[in-house]
Amino acid sequence: MSSVQTPAFPTLPPRPAAPDLSSIDPRLDLEAEIPRLKRQKNAVLLAHYYQEEAIQDLADFVGDSLDLSRKAQATDAAIIAFAGVRFMAETAKILNPNRKVVLPDYEAGCSLEDSCPPEAFKAWRAEHPGAVSLTYINCSAAVKALSDIIVTSSNAEKIVRSIPPEKEILFAPDRHLGAFLSKKLGRPMTLWPGTCIVHEQFSEREIVRLKAQHPGALVAAHPECPEAILRHADHVGSTRSILNYATTAPGKTFLIATEEGIIHQMRKLAPDREYIPVPPDNGCQCNECPFMKLNTLEKLYLCLRDERPEIVLLEDLRAAAERPLLRMLELS
Ligand code: 13P
Ligand code: SF4
């Protein structure tokens, strides 16, 4: 990959200031204030499965990246409060530009997005003329704008199958998802070397130990996990499909190899089952996404009260990023 060059897009507006937590009246009941502000401002609260439990419980809709994109596109609420990471809130703004989109913490990024700067991505594409670029939704608006089709873990398989076999596929930025698709579909792909810092940490040794401890337990894993984890999985899929599997497949005990926030919905939907989070290799809390967990009830309250931080995109960039997202929605 050659090094860079000219900026792919003009500079974005400056990053918003950090939320001022000291401005919150400590006597407030935030679990009552948040719904009140939502009603008062005609706001919809969309949350990803990796959000903390209290945020999931206040949301109008909890979902995976694809379902959240569809909800964001369809809403006629005046404000979309997006409890997820920044690329998800940006996607909401790209698809529904007339809504104000706010998020609790603007610094809620993603290691996959960080691995793929737009200038380097642009250079990579230039080295593969004629290739189709399929890009995972976990990337910046600028990288979306430079891509042909966006995919999520829910629809990637279907979209890869739609590409004529003679076409080279460039897949960015998650190399594990790319390798999983490539192996499953027998389709060679050129992969960007990005990874998710959460899904990369799960321990194969722990899965083997847990399976021995819980005979008959079934393993559900997200395709952002490395092959060493996926080869133990009975089911591989997006967060929504992991949720469906663990709550409906015949079985009693499920080992969950994705961010453990999703277990909250599993317990709500099928409380009589056992869900065991697969631990990471090193005894840390690395199966919690540090970006997702930047969002807290306090910051959610502030973003609704103050209507910031807000996602603001230059129109040229937004329109260019919308094209491959609409392509994705058509093909899904
Ligand atoms: P899903 O599309 O499966 O919700 O994945 C989003 C994500 O960031 C997983 O780490
Ligand atoms: Fe990004 Fe991984 Fe966090 Fe998902 S879990 S938002 S891929 S860092």
Side-chain angles (χ1 to χ4, degrees):
M1 203 180 302
S2 67
S3 66
V4 186
Q5 312 94 19
T6 49
F9 282 95
T11 319
L12 291 168
R15 289 174 102 82
D20 177 12
L21 298 175
S22 68
S23 71
I24 301 177
D25 179 344
R27 291 163 304 182
L28 283 180
D29 172 0
L30 297 183
E31 271 147 311
E33 276 304 298
I34 289 168
R36 189 190 63 74
L37 283 170
K38 276 200 302 149
R39 282 192 301 278
Q40 181 194 319
K41 300 195 174 202
N42 184 20
V44 66
L45 173 56
L46 304 181
H48 190 266
Y49 293 120
Y50 298 166
Q51 291 298 284
E52 66 174 62
E53 295 180 5
I55 293 181
Q56 291 189 39
D57 289 346
L58 288 169
D60 297 293
F61 180 75
V62 186
D64 71 0
S65 309
L66 180 62
D67 292 336
L68 287 165
S69 305
R70 289 189 173 122
K71 285 281 174 199
Q73 186 189 35
T75 188
D76 56 7
I79 296 177
I80 300 173
F82 209 114
V85 288
R86 194 177 55 244
F87 78 79
M88 296 177 175
E90 249 179 23
T91 301
K93 184 70 183 177
I94 294 165
L95 290 170
N96 203 341
N98 295 327
R99 313 290 158 219
K100 182 178 249 190
V101 179
V102 294
L103 70 168
D105 193 320
Y106 197 83
E107 299 307 318
C110 170
S111 63
L112 285 166
E113 174 178 349
D114 293 344
S115 79
C116 192
E119 289 75 23
F121 180 78
K122 189 179 176 195
W124 188 56
R125 283 219 63 178
E127 286 164 11
H128 298 266
V132 179
S133 88
L134 303 189
T135 306
Y136 194 33
I137 199 164
N138 298 39
C139 65
S140 63
V143 167
K144 287 185 176 70
L146 294 163
S147 303
D148 292 319
I149 312 175
I150 300 303
V151 304
T152 76
S153 47
S154 292
N155 57 24
E157 210 176 301
K158 190 169 178 195
I159 293 176
V160 172
R161 285 183 201 280
S162 76
I163 307 298
E166 67 282 3
K167 277 271 179 199
E168 181 189 6
I169 296 179
L170 297 183
F171 191 90
D174 187 352
R175 72 183 168 93
H176 296 310
L177 173 59
F180 166 74
L181 293 165
S182 187
K183 186 173 170 199
K184 181 163 184 193
L185 303 176
R187 179 80 195 248
M189 299 200 278
T190 306
L191 306 180
W192 184 272
T195 57
C196 161
I197 50 167
V198 179
H199 290 87
E200 198 168 54
Q201 303 280 349
F202 291 115
S203 161
E204 184 178 13
R205 197 163 6 102
E206 288 292 337
I207 292 192
V208 172
R209 187 183 64 77
L210 285 166
K211 280 182 105 165
Q213 235 176 42
H214 301 271
L218 296 164
V219 180
H222 197 280
E224 288 173 14
C225 295
E227 158 65 15
I229 299 299
L230 297 180
R231 67 167 161 255
H232 296 279
D234 299 287
H235 178 81
V236 178
S238 75
T239 49
R240 168 164 48 93
S241 98
I242 290 176
L243 177 63
N244 290 344
Y245 176 77
T247 54
T248 61
K252 262 301 195 199
T253 305
F254 294 84
L255 308 183
I256 306 299
T258 192
E259 216 272 4
E260 64 176 64
I262 196 166
I263 293 177
H264 181 52
Q265 295 298 325
M266 292 175 182
R267 294 197 177 116
K268 282 170 90 166
L269 284 169
D272 51 336
R273 297 173 170 222
E274 187 180 15
Y275 309 105
I276 303 174
V278 173
D281 232 345
N282 46 14
C284 71
Q285 279 293 306
C286 315
N287 56 350
E288 286 203 351
C289 173
F291 301 107
M292 289 276 183
K293 278 358 192 222
L294 282 177
N295 295 333
T296 59
L297 272 190
E298 287 76 13
K299 293 179 197 169
L300 176 58
Y301 162 75
L302 283 180
C303 88
L304 280 162
R305 186 193 73 183
D306 301 342
E307 300 181 20
R308 65 186 159 85
E310 183 186 354
I311 299 286
V312 179
L313 293 171
L314 301 174
E315 177 51 24
D316 285 358
L317 171 59
R318 189 208 64 79
E322 186 181 29
R323 186 185 35 81
L325 275 166
L326 293 179
R327 197 85 188 91
M328 168 187 87
L329 293 172
E330 273 163 34
L331 291 169
S332 295

